[in-house]
Amino acid sequence: MARVTAQDVAEAAGVSLATVDRVLNNRKGVKDSTIERVTEAMDRLNFVRDQAAANLARGRSYRFTFIVSAGETAFFSDIRSEIDAARALAAKDRIEVGMVAVPPLDPQAIVDAIEGRGETIGDGVALVAVESQVVRDAIKRLRAKGVHVVTFISDIPNSARERFVGIDNVAAGRVAASLLKRFVCAPAGDVAVVAGSGTLRDHVERRMGFEQVMRAECPHLTVLPWIEGEEMAGVVEEKLSKLLAENPEVVGLYSLGGGTRGVIDAIRAADQDLRVVTTELSEHTRAALIAGDIDAVLVQDPSHEVRSAIRVLKAFTDGTAVNEKQERIRIEIFMRDNLP
Amino acid sequence: MARVTAQDVAEAAGVSLATVDRVLNNRKGVKDSTIERVTEAMDRLNFVRDQAAANLARGRSYRFTFIVSAGETAFFSDIRSEIDAARALAAKDRIEVGMVAVPPLDPQAIVDAIEGRGETIGDGVALVAVESQVVRDAIKRLRAKGVHVVTFISDIPNSARERFVGIDNVAAGRVAASLLKRFVCAPAGDVAVVAGSGTLRDHVERRMGFEQVMRAECPHLTVLPWIEGEEMAGVVEEKLSKLLAENPEVVGLYSLGGGTRGVIDAIRAADQDLRVVTTELSEHTRAALIAGDIDAVLVQDPSHEVRSAIRVLKAFTDGTAVNEKQERIRIEIFMRDNLP
DNA sequence: CGTGTTTTGATTGACGTACATCAAAACATC
DNA sequence: GATGTTTTGATGTACGTCAATCAAAACACG
């Protein structure tokens, strides 16, 4: 029951270790018939190449850089500390993880961060994208240099990025609508939407998904013009309080970006009977869920996302396949009863 | 920027490689002051022991065995194929994964499977527990032999198992109730519960959680006596159809175990207006979600659970810490709009 | 058959750590 | 200062693969 090594395969196939190695790393200079004999022996003996030994021999190490928003929302400070946490874990596998925090919503800052790092950016980059042509171009230049690129949290389609690591934000918006539709029992009423930023694709997509479902399935509910909160609790509270005061028929609320603390403060003050779905799991949303001020919170798991981005970049660098099941990023729905 | 090796640490601390090695693996025979000098050098140089090299040198390999139900529910056949899938992945890390499928709900079968394997059971066991003293005893015997044990999917508390890998089933039941409470708009009505087996702790716990919330928060809803479906679609359909016919006031339904196909057939036939929450994501529940026959499905991700169990057993075997964030098993809530 | 080319074998030295051994040095004790 | 003990150094082998070398063998082609 001992492990099968390349040496065993060589003996079984009647070739030398060198030849097995050539086949294993598909180097040229091996007859097709020999390749076949060797691969046959491999799966007959159930040979699995030992990752540890292979990595060691290759002496390969990896260097990935995260480019994330320096924004002060609960979500992004979570993301940043998760990257720090992942760094220690990744180091064990010879993966160095760098991080650059850039001013939020500033495409040029992202580009500068990339260019500024030069070659030290490493083998792969995970970046929180902002919709902009300069970012698209920067991604293309990275790819041209052989650097692997994934977008992270917020996508930028029609770019050269190889993958998006994050949730399906349209689906998140749809789920929010689907929940509110079922939560709201009033025969008719208004629904308020508190948005974050119009330049963040993830926010735009959530809004899209939300409106899709509202329009298609909730003729009895009227979606009010959205509130732009700019992710700042103070701004959100002020605008939302005003809106609630002016619209007594509001029966539902979806907050799809940052500044959730402002949402909570406003609805507590307003004391209307409305169903609320928000994003971000912070101490404030936790408390509000428990108190019953909020009905559900839709979140993504930053810790999973960071680990996933690293694994995906490593797979790209190694040229191996991505384990799709493991890398699926879920939209998590928290209610009072399944808070972690 | 080259990697820091144990040799570098030795030079920095002014000792030999052998001494660093002694410190690294806390072997005896090193003066305290020297230990201090070495560890100081380690974190000054930011030394991280190379897992690949360490594993290779140790020549250690792992052997874990899953003991799972041979039941024909969609969920368990999923679990079994995920174990097969994980086997290939684990092999790369010198982990051999075995599986024994035992007749469902039979404690003695579990014990026999354990005893029957003898020493070949390996370094760790993940088992789908059934409430029973003989199982508890078997776990204790395994632990006494130094075999690590985690329960999987279904827990057995007050046993010697070192950890439970699975969702918080009480919470799942609570979430189901919390959703139904919000979904149901009728001022009053009945709620039906379709249970699986009374001997499976996970089913019992879900039911507990469900009733907790119903009793505490939904005085307007009456929970009807539960239906025991024995996880068989035919049985479920028959009993549920009968119940629906006899109780026209049913406005909500929670199906917490297998045989969901029977639930779907019954509610389609009954054509009542009721909100439905079930478990298991199969082709049937998918279709029913899309058709609107079901409102939400609460599931656990078998693929994640299998990988988690393997990682946890490995951590126990190595005596290293478990990464709690990574090993948290989520209760996933699927609606029509976030189906994967 | 000789020539050139392709394929294979044999061998060697990494990679970074684990682990064991023996000798040398440092230290403690009387 | 002789003795015994603890601590350290020096060294070597092993793990399984990668990568490179050079020589030998097999093959193709005219």
Side-chain angles (χ1 to χ4, degrees):
Chain A
M1 200 59 99
R3 263 190 72 82
V4 179
T5 74
Q7 181 65 59
D8 300 330
V9 175
E11 283 164 22
V15 298
S16 76
L17 181 56
T19 302
V20 172
D21 184 65
R22 288 181 183 111
V23 174
L24 212 45
N25 299 290
N26 28 252
R27 282 191 267 270
K28 58 180 180 181
V30 185
K31 239 194 306 188
D32 284 355
S33 62
T34 312
I35 295 183
E36 209 164 319
R37 259 200 357 256
V38 171
T39 50
E40 184 275 332
M42 278 182 185
D43 39 56
R44 184 156 52 80
L45 297 189
N46 224 321
F47 169 77
V48 187
R49 164 210 237 119
D50 184 325
Q51 281 281 280
N55 287 342
L56 182 57
R58 281 208 187 86
R60 184 146 188 31
S61 63
Y62 308 81
R63 187 170 165 70
F64 303 135
T65 304
F66 279 82
I67 297 177
V68 297
S69 160
E72 282 311 316
T73 59
F75 180 69
F76 273 112
S77 75
D78 255 25
I79 286 280
R80 292 192 299 269
S81 63
E82 287 299 340
I83 292 174
D84 284 329
R87 180 171 292 134
L89 260 179
K92 292 190 210 296
D93 297 319
R94 313 172 134 250
I95 301 175
E96 240 185 300
V97 175
M99 171 166 65
V100 193
V102 299
L105 308 182
D106 181 351
Q108 193 56 48
I110 294 175
V111 177
D112 292 346
I114 293 172
E115 309 288 340
R117 285 244 152 175
E119 297 305 318
T120 70
I121 201 145
D123 312 288
V125 174
L127 63 89
V128 180
V130 179
E131 189 65 46
S132 159
Q133 191 56 40
V134 293
V135 174
R136 254 188 213 96
D137 292 344
I139 293 175
K140 188 172 277 174
R141 282 195 299 277
L142 280 174
R143 293 292 300 123
K145 286 199 297 180
V147 178
H148 295 281
V149 180
V150 300
T151 46
F152 187 58
I153 313 292
S154 181
D155 193 15
I156 180 164
N158 302 320
S159 70
R161 60 111 176 106
E162 291 160 274
R163 191 188 173 96
F164 167 56
V165 176
I167 59 169
D168 178 341
N169 285 292
V170 177
R174 295 177 58 93
V175 170
S178 217
L179 282 171
L180 274 184
K181 164 190 159 188
R182 289 173 171 78
F183 285 174
V184 169
C185 291
D190 299 331
V191 174
V193 179
V194 179
S197 158
T199 52
L200 282 180
R201 184 166 194 100
D202 49 347
H203 290 190
V204 174
E205 287 184 346
R206 282 178 210 160
R207 188 169 145 76
M208 261 179 48
F210 186 78
E211 297 210 321
Q212 270 175 22
V213 171
M214 276 290 155
R215 204 168 305 137
E217 303 178 18
C218 308
H220 63 298
L221 298 176
T222 310
V223 179
L224 298 175
W226 65 351
I227 297 176
E228 282 251 23
E230 295 155 39
E231 312 234 23
M232 292 161 65
V235 179
V236 169
E237 187 192 355
E238 191 188 332
K239 291 192 181 176
L240 181 55
S241 293
K242 185 152 165 285
L243 181 127
L244 288 176
E246 289 171 358
N247 298 72
E249 300 296 297
V250 173
V251 291
L253 167 66
Y254 176 38
S255 168
L256 57 76
T260 314
R261 213 178 66 236
V263 172
I264 296 169
D265 291 343
I267 59 178
R268 279 201 176 134
D271 199 29
Q272 274 166 279
D273 180 35
L274 72 176
R275 303 276 76 80
V276 182
V277 175
T278 74
T279 51
E280 292 191 343
L281 194 60
S282 64
E283 43 171 336
H284 304 104
T285 50
R286 286 182 88 91
L289 270 177
I290 292 169
D293 296 318
I294 288 181
D295 295 275
V297 180
L298 304 189
V299 305
Q300 45 195 321
D301 180 353
S303 135
H304 185 193
E305 286 176 314
V306 169
R307 281 192 307 270
S308 179
I310 294 174
R311 276 193 304 257
V312 166
L313 284 174
K314 178 162 191 300
F316 283 145
T317 309
D318 287 341
T320 57
V322 171
N323 181 346
E324 291 300 338
K325 285 208 173 151
Q326 185 165 16
E327 308 315 343
R328 176 174 65 89
I329 311 291
R330 307 161 183 78
I331 300 166
E332 297 188 57
I333 306 177
F334 286 113
M335 304 187 63
R336 178 202 309 187
D337 307 287
N338 63 333
L339 280 173
Chain B
M1 199 60 100
R3 263 190 73 83
V4 179
T5 73
Q7 180 65 58
D8 301 330
V9 175
E11 283 163 23
V15 299
S16 75
L17 181 57
T19 303
V20 172
D21 183 67
R22 288 180 183 113
V23 174
L24 211 46
N25 299 290
N26 26 251
R27 281 190 267 270
K28 59 183 179 179
V30 185
K31 239 195 304 189
D32 284 354
S33 62
T34 312
I35 294 184
E36 209 165 319
R37 256 195 7 254
V38 172
T39 49
E40 184 274 333
M42 279 183 185
D43 40 54
R44 183 157 51 80
L45 298 190
N46 223 322
F47 170 78
V48 187
R49 170 210 235 114
D50 185 326
Q51 280 284 278
N55 287 341
L56 183 57
R58 283 209 181 86
R60 182 143 187 37
S61 64
Y62 308 81
R63 187 171 165 71
F64 303 135
T65 304
F66 279 83
I67 297 176
V68 298
S69 161
E72 281 312 316
T73 60
F75 179 70
F76 273 111
S77 74
D78 255 25
I79 286 281
R80 292 192 300 266
S81 62
E82 288 299 340
I83 291 174
D84 284 329
R87 180 171 292 134
L89 259 178
K92 293 191 209 299
D93 299 318
R94 313 171 135 252
I95 302 174
E96 240 184 300
V97 175
M99 169 168 64
V100 193
V102 299
L105 308 181
D106 180 353
Q108 193 56 47
I110 294 175
V111 177
D112 292 346
I114 294 172
E115 309 288 340
R117 284 245 153 174
E119 297 306 317
T120 71
I121 203 146
D123 311 289
V125 174
L127 63 89
V128 180
V130 178
E131 189 65 47
S132 158
Q133 190 56 39
V134 292
V135 174
R136 251 187 215 97
D137 293 343
I139 293 176
K140 186 170 278 172
R141 281 196 300 274
L142 280 174
R143 294 291 303 120
K145 284 199 298 179
V147 177
H148 296 281
V149 180
V150 301
T151 46
F152 187 58
I153 314 293
S154 181
D155 193 15
I156 180 164
N158 302 320
S159 69
R161 61 108 176 108
E162 293 160 275
R163 189 187 175 97
F164 168 54
V165 175
I167 59 170
D168 178 341
N169 285 292
V170 177
R174 294 178 57 95
V175 169
S178 218
L179 282 171
L180 274 183
K181 164 190 161 189
R182 289 172 171 79
F183 286 174
V184 169
C185 291
D190 299 331
V191 174
V193 179
V194 179
S197 158
T199 52
L200 282 180
R201 184 165 193 102
D202 49 348
H203 290 190
V204 174
E205 287 183 346
R206 284 179 208 159
R207 187 169 145 77
M208 260 177 51
F210 186 80
E211 298 210 319
Q212 269 174 21
V213 171
M214 277 289 155
R215 204 168 304 138
E217 303 177 20
C218 307
H220 62 299
L221 298 177
T222 311
V223 178
L224 298 176
W226 65 352
I227 297 177
E228 282 250 24
E230 296 154 37
E231 312 234 25
M232 291 162 68
V235 179
V236 170
E237 188 193 352
E238 190 188 336
K239 291 192 180 174
L240 181 54
S241 294
K242 184 151 167 284
L243 181 127
L244 289 176
E246 289 171 357
N247 299 71
E249 300 295 298
V250 173
V251 291
L253 168 65
Y254 175 38
S255 168
L256 58 77
T260 315
R261 214 178 67 235
V263 173
I264 296 169
D265 290 343
I267 59 178
R268 279 200 176 135
D271 198 29
Q272 272 166 280
D273 180 37
L274 73 175
R275 305 275 75 81
V276 181
V277 175
T278 74
T279 51
E280 292 194 340
L281 195 60
S282 64
E283 43 170 338
H284 304 103
T285 50
R286 286 181 89 91
L289 271 177
I290 292 169
D293 294 319
I294 288 181
D295 295 275
V297 179
L298 305 187
V299 305
Q300 44 195 320
D301 181 352
S303 136
H304 185 193
E305 287 177 313
V306 169
R307 281 191 306 270
S308 178
I310 294 174
R311 277 192 304 257
V312 167
L313 283 174
K314 178 163 190 300
F316 284 145
T317 309
D318 287 342
T320 58
V322 171
N323 180 345
E324 291 300 340
K325 284 208 174 153
Q326 185 166 17
E327 309 313 346
R328 176 174 64 89
I329 310 291
R330 306 159 183 80
I331 298 167
E332 297 188 57
I333 306 178
F334 287 113
M335 304 186 64
R336 178 202 310 187
D337 307 286
N338 63 334
L339 281 173

